[in-house]
Amino acid sequence: MLAAKKKWVPRLTTAVDEADVDKLAEAASVTPLVARLLIMRGINTAEEAAPFLHADQQPLLDPTTMHDMEKAVDRIQEAIIAGDQITIYGDYDADGLTSTSIMYETLDQIGANVNYYIPDRFKDGYGPNQAAFDRLIAAGTKLFVTVDNGVAGNAVINQVQEQGIDVVVTDHHELPTELPHAYAIVHPRHPEGSYPFGGLSGAGVAFKVATALLEEVPEELLDLAAIGTVADLVSLTGENRTLVTLGLKVLQQTTRPGLAALIQEAGLIPDKLTETNIGFGIAPRLNALGRLQSAQSGVELLTTLDDERATALAKQVNQLNEKRQGLVKTISASAIEQAQTPENEARQTLVITGHGWHEGVLGIVASHVVETTGKPTLVLNEDDDGRLKGSGRSVEAYNLFAAIDPVRESLVAFGGHHMAVGLTVMADQLATLKEAMEAAAVSQQLADNAQVSLPIDGTLPLAEATLATLADIQALAPFGTDNPAPLFELVPTTVPQARAIGSDQQHLKLQLGDGTNTIDAIGFSMGTALPAIQASPTDVTLVGELSENTWNGQTKPQIMVKDIAVTGTQVIDARMQHLSAHLFQAPGVYLFFHQRLLKKVEQYLGSQAQAVWVGDTKMDLTAVTANQAVFIVDCPDTLADMTQVLSTIALDQLTLYLYRQESVYLTGMPNRAQFAKLFQFTAAHHDVDIHHQLTLVAKHLHIERNLLIFMIQVFFEVGFVKINDGVMNGVSNPAKADLHHAPSYQLREQQIVAEETLLYSKSAALQVWVKNQAAVKN
């Protein structure tokens, strides 16, 4: 059994009426599948569907209806006429870089004396920084235009305004209770504005300002607006759909040397670029700049007309992204290892700390830990002064900001929202922070709601998982926030092929089949599911996204796996050659085939662990193991013993230690010559004290000591030797006997077969064997 990591739920809580599907399909001229997906997204009529399906044909909204737009345009034009220095104050992420580039190109085009400043994540932080503004004013700035920031820069902007330097804020972030006293605040959700769509990104707002300044839609800037919109994960509904749809067309034929070079470095196909390529190819590379160094060169990359400079900058960005990936991989491995310590396993929330960790990637690392563990997580780097700084990520059921806010006075710095936070804390307050997070887990009832929901759009038969179906689904693109790519439940009758791929075997490559059709599937970071799938290839169910894969010029449909479940018994292969105390701490029933071993380890059992000897006839194994995890500690002497247990116990989750102190299989059976040598020795030597002289005898005969013990036992059972009080003597003229009939000989044969099957088989083969034996009771 392999449980799904997420809770699969229908995207709609009520069933879709097929009559409504047919009606919409006919009215909107779409397939029933597309009609059903539209209804599941709250679009029920042809009138509602038209702007959604044909976003590129929708007019862009009037920018002058946005709050303070005309005031901002007038002030900028006034500065241009006066020849005043205008500084665009941007941000270091992809949305900030594209916003800055849009504003810079627009002002430069209309003759402004303009420059730009991208704050340094590590020196300036996010948003207006007083020291940075002071330096820019000293350098001659007479007007600031912020992009993708500013509404939260109350203190800095107010002070700058008091100096007689105007600030025009263009932003899209949440509006605080008290806004800065800027000259103008251009914001799509300003309560005093009347703009019809409030979901623009920073780049979207900058694009609307550019439109107002130029008095026409600057189509050449749509590629930048699309990148910023997708990168910032804003809602891909309304006007954003139009911006991204139109922007992708411009991006596919971009004349920007920097973007062309970056697309090439990312290994993307220019004329087939999609929003997914932006989200996973272009945006991460732009974000890597601000994560690892100053992102100032990002604007140059996006705006330069110099091909050589563009190529050089694109290579630099790509190298930084590779460095970022390496840092994330290394730190994530350490963080996840720390998350899996016994102490952290017992916690509902995690605070992971390290030294020398690059602070620019800790948010990504926290996301990886949350994905792996399902627990709200802070990842912090501690400097030499005991100051810990980093980021946190959460799950739907846990408000991370609300959990930490009650102890914000104990922190050096803190900010964020439900799902993500950034903070700084001194080492002596770390315990307070941890306690607050655990207390919030209790008050927010995290344990009852910890599993993240995964909305699905229905079941997709393998026969319908085709390129034609994918083409139909693409009518709903671009996909993203509030318009996710459809996810389907797939139930193959078998998985003919399953293997782990990647440098660390961390990814999963499958072939799904239904007896007639097959389709490839890939699950990133799901390699650990391989043993369960191989053990039960007919019991696999998964949720995935239909996509395409092109290889060697051939394009085929493919499933991108989002979650996977394997029904039936979960068999965990944990075979080991050494036992240690921590192996007996988990709750459950620990089964022993050898009572002597049980006596040795029972002192190490955890408070909710129970040791049971299989040979105890008074014990009802079915009752004992019901609804509990079962651990088989040692290897049985015979396969029949193992089958008896597996077909008897109530089995849901089974962990196999299968410890054997001495391997009979590796030692093997004595050969005829060895038996003959021992026979000759017993005939020639009398009164051999095998209690004290056995090692000397073994050396003399060149037979391994444990093997010699077995041989003597066989001789004793067939009457070749007598043993009294540990003294062995050969029997004169013993009756002929077949050694194979000796009980010890027969037992050893069975032990060898048992060890070969249970100890030395491949993991997948062992799991299949175990599940087959467990099925005997059915």
Side-chain angles (χ1 to χ4, degrees), residues 33 464-475 546-548 557-558:
L33 172 61
E464 297 179 19
T466 63
L467 291 176
T469 299
L470 180 59
D472 290 340
I473 292 173
Q474 286 301 313
L546 182 61
S547 64
E548 65 179 28
Q558 175 180 264

Side-chain angles (χ1 to χ4, degrees), residues 9 25 54 145 155 161 226 243 261 319 326 413 446 516 518 545 608 654 749:
V9 297
H54 308 290
V145 179
Q161 286 285 157
L243 286 173
Q319 290 168 357
L446 175 60
T516 303
T518 61
E545 174 188 344
Q608 299 182 55
L654 175 66
E749 286 183 319

Side-chain angles (χ1 to χ4, degrees), residues 391-462:
S391 300
R393 297 293 184 267
S394 194
V395 296
E396 293 174 10
Y398 186 83
N399 189 321
L400 186 57
F401 181 87
I404 299 174
D405 192 50
V407 295
R408 69 160 56 232
E409 296 302 321
S410 301
L411 309 179
V412 178
F414 171 62
H417 52 82
H418 180 139
M419 296 293 287
V421 300
L423 58 83
T424 303
V425 60
M426 298 305 295
D428 60 1
Q429 294 299 317
L430 199 60
T432 300
L433 178 62
K434 290 182 178 181
E435 290 171 7
M437 289 182 62
E438 284 294 287
V442 175
S443 63
Q444 295 185 30
Q445 298 180 321
L446 175 60
D448 297 331
N449 304 284
Q451 196 171 29
V452 176
S453 295
L454 183 64
I456 59 176
D457 296 88
T459 300
L460 182 67
L462 262 59

Side-chain angles (χ1 to χ4, degrees), residues 380-391:
L380 309 173
N381 176 63
E382 183 173 4
D383 64 20
D384 294 338
D385 297 323
R387 183 185 301 262
L388 296 103
K389 183 178 181 181
S391 300

Side-chain angles (χ1 to χ4, degrees), residues 257-532:
L259 273 181
L262 190 60
I263 289 167
Q264 182 176 357
E265 286 291 329
L268 303 174
I269 302 173
D271 61 356
K272 292 186 177 181
L273 287 171
T274 66
E275 69 278 9
T276 301
N277 297 139
I278 293 176
F280 292 94
I282 296 174
R285 285 169 169 77
L286 293 176
N287 284 329
L289 276 168
R291 292 187 182 281
L292 301 186
Q293 62 174 44
S294 168
Q296 191 86 355
S297 61
V299 179
E300 184 183 0
L301 171 69
L302 296 174
T303 59
T304 184
L305 299 177
D306 185 328
D307 288 340
E308 290 186 4
R309 181 61 176 159
T311 300
L313 286 170
K315 288 185 179 299
Q316 179 190 15
V317 168
N318 200 55
Q319 290 168 357
L320 281 171
N321 188 56
E322 290 175 351
K323 180 180 179 181
R324 188 268 306 171
Q325 291 173 325
L327 288 169
V328 169
K329 182 178 180 180
T330 301
I331 299 173
S332 292
S334 298
I336 290 171
E337 181 180 358
Q338 192 176 141
Q340 293 172 340
T341 62
E343 177 187 355
N344 279 327
E345 288 279 9
R347 293 175 56 88
Q348 294 188 68
T349 63
L350 299 173
V351 179
I352 306 297
T353 64
H355 294 270
W357 288 355
H358 199 294
E359 294 172 7
V361 301
L362 297 187
I364 302 175
V365 173
S367 295
H368 286 193
V369 177
V370 172
E371 183 68 23
T372 301
T373 66
K375 298 179 180 182
T377 300
L378 299 180
V379 179
L380 309 173
N381 176 63
E382 183 173 4
D383 64 20
D384 294 338
D385 297 323
R387 183 185 301 262
L388 296 103
K389 183 178 181 181
S391 300
R393 297 293 184 267
S394 194
V395 296
E396 293 174 10
Y398 186 83
N399 189 321
L400 186 57
F401 181 87
I404 299 174
D405 192 50
V407 295
R408 69 160 56 232
E409 296 302 321
S410 301
L411 309 179
V412 178
F414 171 62
H417 52 82
H418 180 139
M419 296 293 287
V421 300
L423 58 83
T424 303
V425 60
M426 298 305 295
D428 60 1
Q429 294 299 317
L430 199 60
T432 300
L433 178 62
K434 290 182 178 181
E435 290 171 7
M437 289 182 62
E438 284 294 287
V442 175
S443 63
Q444 295 185 30
Q445 298 180 321
L446 175 60
D448 297 331
N449 304 284
Q451 196 171 29
V452 176
S453 295
L454 183 64
I456 59 176
D457 296 88
T459 300
L460 182 67
L462 262 59
E464 297 179 19
T466 63
L467 291 176
T469 299
L470 180 59
D472 290 340
I473 292 173
Q474 286 301 313
L476 303 175
F479 298 115
T481 304
D482 294 335
N483 181 40
L487 297 181
F488 300 101
E489 183 175 345
L490 295 101
V491 188
T493 58
T494 186
V495 180
Q497 296 180 21
R499 58 192 176 96
I501 61 174
S503 58
D504 296 329
Q505 303 288 284
Q506 70 270 44
H507 308 308
L508 188 64
K509 185 70 181 289
L510 306 173
Q511 185 182 76
L512 313 178
D514 64 1
T516 303
N517 308 280
T518 61
I519 185 172
D520 291 337
I522 186 165
F524 291 108
S525 300
M526 294 185 179
T528 54
L530 180 62

